[in-house]
Amino acid sequence: MATATATTLLTQPYGAVPVTLPSLPYRRICSSGVRKVPFFSLDLRLRRRKVKLPPAANKRLPELKTNEPESEDSPPSSADHSRGLDLGWLPAFPHVLIASMSNFLFGYHIGVMNGPIVSIARELGFEGNSILEGLVVSIFIAGAFIGSISCGSLVDRLGCRRTFQIDMVPLILGAIVSAQANSLDEILLGRFLVGLGIGVNTVLVPIYISEVTPTKYRGSLGTMCQIGTCLGIITSLCLGIPSEDDPHWWRTMLYIASVPGFIITLGMQFAVDSPRWLCKVGKAGDAREVISKLWGASEVDKAIEEFQSVLKSDRSEVDSKWLELLEEPHLRVACIGGALFLLQQFAGINGVLYFSSLTFQDVGITSGALASLLVGLTNFAGALCALYLMDKQGRKRLLVGSYIGMAASMFLVVYAVSFPLDEDLSHSLSILGTLMYIFTFATGAGPVTGIIIPELSSTRMRGKIMGFSFSVHWVCNFLVGLFFLELIETYGVNSVYGGFGGVSLLSAIFAYYFIVETKGRSLEEIEMSLNPKLQGRKRDN
């Protein structure tokens, strides 16, 4: 579901999001210390994982006679449409905007510790201790892992709106505790609380957006997650500029990090809850009101009928159980979700973003802030392209094309590094390959992963499947951050980047054979297509 970030380019980088997500800080190495050895690839491990997927995972959704050309050629249904202006997304947009502010906060927290970590270490007395500096950053991942696992149960019991508000408590407290920290223990506590809240957010936002937006605009509005993260990172980079001259500026930046939490808490008081969750907990009247408000009055009866037809097959308990993940079709979707995040991380987005700082230095861009801004703008441009293409080209096509583009970009960098070329040409090709990689990641592998998993998940198990998938993401994120530099030092840049290219190709193949297209289909249509029991009931009716 990760998300690519620019923050890894500063003096103390620590990873990327894809939708991505922060990893451990890397030790700085110089290019002269990197030696070249035979090609190294990660795809052997990934192939072993692939065979663990259930055989049923490669089933295709049947060709449903729903909205395929509808998104572009269907007759307008309102006065605005009659004038050629489609504003059907507008009623849901304010609610999506409030939710995506959580991703803005996510991106801000990724960037906020990047530059100031040196000042923090100096002021709190652990400067020069790379282990403790790494712990301050990486404890964020531990909190995020726990938050991701716990989110599903909170959503089942409380709904998305209340979960958002509760989740802001550790985010606000974590920011304030970090800003006021006078010891290592206090900064660690603050960062853990922030990670806990971010872990919940990364699961919660895609679920909420997928469940409140109209089918026609679900993909485009879903990319607001990626856009919010990009804007948060860029904002933190801009606000972090004074930290170069003011050693205490990091406290101000962390205080500022608490402000979006208050805005989201207040905004969610006026936002709607998921109509699917409302129907599940017996509030069909409220669900009708939400559907009428966001999707249009003409959609109410059809939507409620679909909700109820799916809910009839569910068990009576509102809260789902983790053991249900072992049942079909939940197991298949959970395996696909976990595999998507595993492949996304092992395709190397965190490592590429880290090492790009040295690439930019080779062409004379020595300012970490300028390099980060350039990468951040590239990432943002890719997210805007995904916004435009998601509901036009479809998730599967974007995902496959994204990974092919990432593979081509990695092989271009390997060519520039491995073969005797003019030095300026080699550096230019390395820069081009790096920016192409980030751009193509942001158009597909980043946003699509977070969008398609909740779409494939059932109403009952959506929270648990997303929690499991993101927990895989955080573990893989940690492992890539832990071993990336060791691989670079042992095998060389060209071999590791070639491995990333190989994993990207493997990811494209996986997406082609295992991912089904969800564009233009309601969540209930997708669920009924994947669940044989629901198909049988539909035929009986």
Side-chain angles (χ1 to χ4, degrees):
M1 357 144 98
T3 64
T5 67
T7 56
T8 51
L9 304 181
L10 299 179
T11 304
Q12 297 290 335
Y14 64 97
V17 189
V19 261
T20 239
L21 308 169
S23 60
L24 286 176
Y26 301 120
R27 301 189 309 275
R28 228 186 227 294
I29 59 175
C30 61
S31 54
S32 61
V34 178
R35 59 190 180 87
K36 301 177 182 178
V37 299
F39 180 84
F40 174 77
S41 174
L42 297 174
D43 61 346
L44 294 178
R45 278 182 290 174
L46 296 176
R47 287 195 180 98
R48 286 199 297 268
R49 292 207 178 237
K50 178 178 176 181
V51 299
K52 293 181 181 178
L53 290 173
N58 62 356
K59 284 185 179 178
R60 298 284 202 271
L61 282 175
E63 292 298 324
L64 301 179
K65 295 181 180 178
T66 59
N67 322 333
E68 249 200 33
E70 159 215 43
S71 60
E72 314 217 3
D73 305 323
S74 60
S77 58
S78 69
D80 287 324
H81 291 191
S82 66
R83 295 193 296 269
L85 182 63
D86 185 355
L87 296 178
W89 53 270
L90 193 57
F93 183 74
H95 309 274
V96 171
L97 183 63
I98 290 293
S100 62
M101 282 189 68
S102 298
N103 283 80
F104 174 89
L105 191 56
F106 176 28
Y108 185 90
H109 273 293
I110 291 172
V112 77
M113 292 295 287
N114 214 24
I117 186 65
V118 176
S119 299
I120 295 172
R122 183 181 301 119
E123 188 168 340
L124 299 185
F126 56 92
E127 183 180 13
N129 189 327
S130 59
I131 295 177
L132 292 181
E133 289 181 7
L135 183 61
V136 169
V137 176
S138 61
I139 197 171
F140 179 97
I141 296 180
F145 177 85
I146 296 173
S148 296
I149 290 292
S150 63
C151 182
S153 297
L154 290 173
V155 172
D156 286 344
R157 293 177 180 273
L158 304 175
C160 291
R161 194 162 66 96
R162 290 293 175 235
T163 304
F164 268 116
Q165 293 178 316
I166 292 172
D167 182 47
M168 291 304 114
V169 174
L171 283 167
I172 293 171
L173 287 179
I176 294 174
V177 169
S178 298
Q180 294 180 339
N182 292 307
S183 68
L184 176 63
D185 291 341
E186 291 176 354
I187 195 72
L188 289 176
L189 174 61
R191 293 300 292 170
F192 177 80
L193 289 173
V194 167
L196 191 67
I198 291 300
V200 173
N201 270 350
T202 53
V203 174
L204 183 59
V205 176
I207 291 176
Y208 181 77
I209 293 178
S210 70
E211 293 197 351
V212 302
T213 54
T215 298
K216 182 178 177 180
Y217 312 100
R218 193 176 61 234
S220 296
L221 292 180
T223 60
M224 290 293 291
C225 297
Q226 180 86 354
I227 291 173
T229 302
C230 295
L231 291 176
I233 293 166
I234 294 173
T235 300
S236 67
L237 291 173
C238 294
L239 291 178
I241 293 175
S243 66
E244 298 178 3
D245 302 317
D246 183 355
H248 306 294
W249 181 249
W250 63 272
R251 295 187 184 274
T252 303
M253 291 186 67
L254 287 170
Y255 277 123
I256 293 173
S258 67
V259 175
F262 289 108
I263 296 175
I264 294 169
T265 302
L266 179 62
M268 276 296 157
Q269 194 62 33
F270 301 96
V272 299
D273 222 325
S274 162
R276 292 172 170 89
W277 179 81
L278 290 171
C279 210
K280 185 167 71 171
V281 297
K283 298 181 179 180
D286 293 340
R288 286 178 174 275
E289 184 178 346
V290 170
I291 295 168
S292 178
K293 180 180 178 181
L294 300 189
W295 304 357
S298 61
E299 297 292 326
V300 173
D301 291 337
K302 177 186 174 184
I304 293 294
E305 182 181 353
E306 286 185 345
F307 295 171
Q308 291 177 343
S309 67
V310 168
L311 290 172
K312 284 178 183 177
S313 69
D314 286 341
R315 302 171 189 179
S316 57
E317 305 94 340
V318 172
D319 192 9
S320 57
K321 309 299 181 187
W322 279 103
L323 287 177
E324 292 178 51
L325 280 181
L326 300 178
E327 303 173 3
E328 286 291 353
H330 312 311
L331 176 62
R332 187 186 348 150
V333 177
C335 288
I336 290 174
L340 282 175
F341 273 122
L342 182 145
L343 291 168
Q344 182 201 66
Q345 290 301 296
F346 286 156
I349 182 62
N350 291 325
V352 171
L353 288 175
Y354 165 72
F355 212 75
S356 59
S357 60
L358 298 180
T359 305
F360 281 102
Q361 288 178 15
D362 288 339
V363 295
I365 303 177
T366 57
S367 169
L370 179 59
S372 295
L373 183 60
L374 181 59
V375 172
L377 291 176
T378 303
N379 186 26
F380 183 63
L384 291 180
C385 287
L387 174 70
Y388 177 76
L389 295 173
M390 191 68 69
D391 284 318
K392 294 180 179 296
Q393 298 299 320
R395 286 64 153 157
K396 182 174 181 177
R397 184 176 295 179
L398 278 184
L399 193 59
V400 172
S402 172
Y403 277 119
I404 291 175
M406 290 163 63
S409 303
M410 286 292 91
F411 294 144
L412 177 62
V413 176
V414 171
Y415 174 77
V417 172
S418 303
F419 292 91
L421 300 172
D422 176 76
E423 186 176 358
D424 291 339
L425 176 60
S426 177
H427 290 162
S428 298
L429 289 177
S430 296
I431 289 289
L432 177 62
T434 298
L435 293 181
M436 281 176 53
Y437 179 91
I438 294 166
F439 180 83
T440 52
F441 176 90
T443 58
V448 172
T449 304
I451 290 172
I452 201 166
I453 298 173
E455 290 182 330
L456 294 176
S457 306
S458 67
T459 299
R460 176 175 177 79
M461 294 298 295
R462 189 165 289 127
K464 295 292 195 301
I465 291 173
M466 284 291 287
F468 167 78
S469 300
F470 267 98
S471 67
V472 172
H473 171 281
W474 289 111
V475 171
C476 295
N477 184 283
F478 176 83
L479 292 175
V480 171
L482 186 63
F483 293 112
F484 172 70
L485 279 190
E486 297 297 331
L487 293 174
I488 287 289
E489 292 172 345
T490 304
Y491 295 99
V493 177
N494 57 338
S495 296
V496 175
Y497 271 36
F500 289 158
V503 175
S504 297
L505 284 180
L506 178 64
S507 302
I509 295 171
F510 178 89
Y512 181 81
Y513 284 105
F514 287 85
I515 299 301
V516 291
E517 184 54 67
T518 56
K519 180 189 74 168
R521 299 173 180 177
S522 72
L523 299 181
E524 285 67 37
E525 288 174 329
I526 298 168
E527 182 173 353
M528 285 187 282
S529 297
L530 290 173
N531 193 330
K533 296 179 182 178
L534 291 177
Q535 291 177 13
R537 180 176 287 107
K538 187 176 180 181
R539 285 193 297 268
D540 293 340
N541 292 337

